[in-house]
Amino acid sequence: MAVAVLEPAPDFELPVVGHQGSTIALSSLTGQVIVLNFWASWCHPCRDEAPDLRSAWERSRDQQRVLFLGVNEMDDEAGARAFQREFQMTYPSVFDPSASLAADYGFFGLPVTYVIDTQGVMRYRFTGSVTESALVDAVRSVLRAVGKETVTSR
């Protein structure tokens, strides 16, 4: 179940899993709707939700301004890469082995998924496994709000 959140998403810059030397900063993604999923390879609920996340990504990735980004927490890179291969996760994930972002985002336990609007404001938070339909609905809701904001600002 989604909880409405209206707070700025804490910024970060972390290394990309499987791409040594590359990093992603959340602030560099402003202007896109971001689905930010916190996960770990050893987390059973993360494994349960992975097929739904992949399906939601596949349904959303052709839409302009929608990006999925994983945050691998408290894991090792080999485990993270194996998880991505096993579940055919084609969107990028960043590596946070110390789980430093959990405190910044105010959660305990995995998985947790946020839908962040084009201005960097967290709009929805899903605690525990998220379903494809719930996630797609949340992304559509944020995209509709972005469309209304664009129309009103003209």
Side-chain angles (χ1 to χ4, degrees), residues 37-41 46 49 70-73 75 80 83-84 93 110-111:
N37 174 254
F38 290 84
W39 63 276
S41 64
C46 299
E49 79 172 357
V71 180
N72 177 257
E73 299 276 296
D75 217 338
F83 182 96
Q84 288 178 313
S93 283
L110 295 171

Side-chain angles (χ1 to χ4, degrees), residues 27-142:
S27 57
S28 72
L29 305 175
T30 302
Q32 299 180 78
V33 173
I34 306 298
V35 175
L36 188 64
N37 174 254
F38 290 84
W39 63 276
S41 64
W42 46 262
C43 163
H44 292 290
C46 299
R47 299 181 80 72
D48 291 342
E49 79 172 357
D52 279 321
L53 276 168
R54 185 185 66 242
S55 293
W57 163 241
E58 289 170 355
R59 286 178 61 183
S60 302
R61 70 178 170 194
D62 292 332
Q63 297 178 32
Q64 280 190 316
R65 302 186 339 179
V66 177
L67 177 70
F68 280 48
L69 178 62
V71 180
N72 177 257
E73 299 276 296
M74 299 180 293
D75 217 338
D76 61 61
E77 192 159 3
R81 291 174 74 186
F83 182 96
Q84 288 178 313
R85 279 191 307 276
E86 178 181 348
F87 292 104
Q88 301 169 5
M89 307 306 272
T90 59
Y91 56 84
S93 283
V94 294
F95 190 51
D96 184 24
S98 65
S100 61
L101 288 182
D104 293 345
Y105 278 79
F107 70 85
F108 301 96
L110 295 171
V112 176
T113 303
Y114 293 88
V115 180
I116 302 169
D117 71 15
T118 58
Q119 299 302 308
V121 175
M122 297 182 288
R123 295 294 176 164
Y124 296 101
R125 179 182 65 225
F126 296 87
T127 303
S129 296
V130 64
T131 65
E132 174 187 359
S133 61
L135 192 51
V136 168
D137 287 347
V139 169
R140 285 183 181 152
S141 173
V142 172

